[in-house]
Amino acid sequence: MAETPSSTIVSTKQERIAMLARQMPMVALTSLSHHIDMEWMKEALLRTRADGATGVDGVTCEEYVRNLEVNLQGLLDRAKTGRYRAPPVRRVHIPKGERGSETRPIGIPTFEDKLLQRAVLMVLEPVYEQDFRKCSYGFRPGRSAHGALESLWSQFMKMEGGWLIEVDIRKFFDTLDHTHLQDLLRQRVRDGVLLRLIGKWLNAGVLEGGSITHPDTGTPQGGVISPLLANVYLHEVLDKWFEDEVVPRLKGRAFLVRYADDFVIGFEREDDARRVMAVLPKRFGKYGLTLHPAKTRLIPFSRPGKGGPGAPTPGAFDFLGFTHYWAKSRRGYWVIKQKTAKGRFSRGLRRIAEWCRGHRHWPIKEQHRILTWKLRGHFSYFGITGNADALARFREEVQRIWQKWLGRRSQRGMTWERFHALLGRYPLPPPVAIHSKLRLAANH
């Protein structure tokens, strides 16, 4: 996206905010909201998705921008004077898990609310980026899930494996404690306008099934500001505590890799891992959070043969959509490999099948365009070194699904001979390791 005058102005202001936060690391900043002006709001608009789902008022981006100057000025005035009323979020449920029987609630704010949340996020992000630790990868500028995966791989490879705690926080976004969160925010930010707005968003309520509820805990997944609030919370509950208080007391090496509320902790020594495993529930309980007893587990993960006779067989674990396991490299060395997790593989195919079923009467050219886009999206995430087999199988299964539903268009059906001829005209993209370690090395 080409740089606009508003983006240049905002970038300069954000650099000043970041510099101030670096120079005053232990100080709560009291004057930040004055940076939010009309230029700031226009930049927030550019950074807000125009095609997102509508909130409780049904207003789209297209409708909002028809009277943009008036709407932005009115929103800015209400936000600064305290007259802004945060509307409830519209709750929808999306499939979660391998079989799709579980769902995850997502809150959809109004477009105006998304815009204002984006403006506040643009102020707070430069502050907290000075405080957040390197172990945190979720929803941060310049960081990604692939960075988290690479960090996990490289640190365990250096240790030749060890022990791993796989953690599941039970309904984190629904149980995040408002009082604790606001106390944590005040440690770094004491700007009345910003704190008042965040308080209104936390208490805005949820519209579902025609009725509005006002939960005492939680921040809706789907809100623009929610990922930052989650990171602020877990920075204090986990990241800072682990690095500053836990690691210095351990006998061996250890590391933490966190992506939002999804995290794992690796240890060189079993005794260290068991000690931390024992205190984790108490630590999270102090902040109103509960660990899932069945899904939080200690896993042996040393390189095969490292511990000698009697050493536990290394297990496997899932993290960020990948199964991590030990296997032999082409040269015969033990290495950690990562492949698409079974649940994510099945869920991806199920969604493709649902789409093909619902759109089987579309023109072939249009079906091909959408399936190409979906496959490239899959490859852009799961296309990592060592995952070629899973990528190829996924593409083959997509072809099989497409052939099946094209065959339901008419009584003639779609033989494999006809389908392969069709693929000659409309080929699906080949599997590509977008995040290949070899490609990355060649570019540096």
Side-chain angles (χ1 to χ4, degrees), residues 86 178 182 185 193-204:
H178 291 175
Q182 289 169 321
L185 288 167
V193 171
L194 301 182
L195 292 177
R196 184 168 57 237
L197 285 171
I198 291 172
K200 288 181 177 183
W201 287 320
L202 291 174
N203 296 296

Side-chain angles (χ1 to χ4, degrees), residues 138-399:
F139 305 102
R140 294 181 58 191
R143 301 192 138 232
S144 67
H146 293 100
L149 292 165
E150 176 63 25
S151 174
L152 172 63
W153 183 89
S154 61
Q155 291 188 83
F156 249 147
M157 283 295 293
K158 286 176 186 174
M159 288 183 356
E160 297 185 321
W163 291 77
L164 177 126
I165 299 178
E166 183 182 51
V167 185
D168 184 275
I169 307 173
R170 183 177 273 169
K171 296 184 177 179
F172 170 71
F173 281 92
D174 293 336
T175 59
L176 187 149
D177 185 270
H178 291 175
T179 302
H180 281 309
L181 174 59
Q182 289 169 321
D183 288 343
L184 294 176
L185 288 167
R186 288 190 193 97
Q187 291 178 15
R188 199 63 167 112
V189 175
R190 289 192 185 167
D191 183 295
V193 171
L194 301 182
L195 292 177
R196 184 168 57 237
L197 285 171
I198 291 172
K200 288 181 177 183
W201 287 320
L202 291 174
N203 296 296
V206 175
L207 175 66
E208 185 174 16
S211 62
I212 297 176
T213 57
H214 293 83
D216 296 327
T217 59
T219 177
Q221 285 179 270
V224 175
I225 200 76
S226 293
L228 176 71
L229 299 181
N231 275 335
V232 168
Y233 207 80
L234 289 175
H235 168 73
E236 182 69 28
V237 175
L238 179 64
D239 304 352
K240 203 164 77 166
W241 168 76
F242 180 78
E243 292 191 347
D244 296 352
E245 298 183 37
V246 174
V247 171
R249 292 178 169 87
L250 300 179
K251 297 176 182 176
R253 290 176 289 176
F255 65 88
L256 165 69
V257 178
R258 181 175 68 80
Y259 189 92
D261 62 325
D262 200 356
F263 69 94
V264 292
I265 312 176
F267 299 87
E268 185 177 24
R269 294 171 58 109
E270 180 183 359
D271 55 349
D272 285 339
R274 292 195 179 278
R275 284 169 59 204
V276 174
M277 181 85 168
V279 300
L280 275 177
K282 184 177 179 181
R283 175 65 184 177
F284 278 79
K286 179 181 176 182
Y287 290 87
L289 300 173
T290 306
L291 301 186
H292 198 297
K295 296 180 181 179
T296 300
R297 59 193 184 121
L298 181 62
I299 303 166
F301 199 68
S302 288
R303 188 198 68 205
K306 179 184 176 184
T313 302
F317 64 94
D318 289 353
F319 182 59
L320 299 181
F322 290 88
T323 297
H324 305 254
Y325 63 102
W326 284 97
K328 287 282 185 77
S329 69
R330 291 181 180 177
R331 296 183 179 181
Y333 300 114
W334 284 108
V335 295
I336 298 169
K337 292 195 174 184
Q338 300 160 321
K339 64 181 179 181
T340 309
K342 182 180 177 183
R344 293 291 290 272
F345 190 94
S346 301
R347 196 191 320 168
L349 289 179
R350 187 171 61 250
R351 288 176 178 170
I352 294 283
E354 288 169 358
W355 188 90
C356 286
R357 178 177 180 269
H359 299 82
R360 63 187 181 275
H361 294 297
W362 274 24
I364 299 291
K365 185 177 180 180
E366 280 301 298
Q367 290 190 42
H368 172 258
R369 183 178 66 83
I370 298 296
L371 287 175
T372 295
W373 175 74
K374 288 179 180 293
L375 268 176
R376 284 180 176 153
H378 183 87
F379 298 154
S380 72
Y381 185 77
F382 291 102
I384 65 171
T385 301
N387 199 30
D389 289 348
L391 297 181
R393 282 194 298 113
F394 192 86
R395 181 177 182 269
E396 289 171 7
E397 288 296 316
V398 169
Q399 288 187 168

Side-chain angles (χ1 to χ4, degrees), residues 102-153:
E102 293 182 71
T103 60
R104 175 184 287 113
I106 298 292
I108 303 174
T110 63
F111 181 78
E112 186 173 68
D113 214 31
K114 292 176 188 174
L115 177 55
L116 187 55
Q117 286 190 33
R118 178 65 63 187
V120 171
L121 175 67
M122 286 159 51
V123 176
L124 295 180
E125 199 168 63
V127 175
Y128 284 105
E129 277 302 305
Q130 314 315 309
D131 299 349
F132 290 159
R133 303 297 174 94
K134 291 181 179 179
C135 61
S136 167
Y137 288 86
F139 305 102
R140 294 181 58 191
R143 301 192 138 232
S144 67
H146 293 100
L149 292 165
E150 176 63 25
S151 174
L152 172 63
W153 183 89

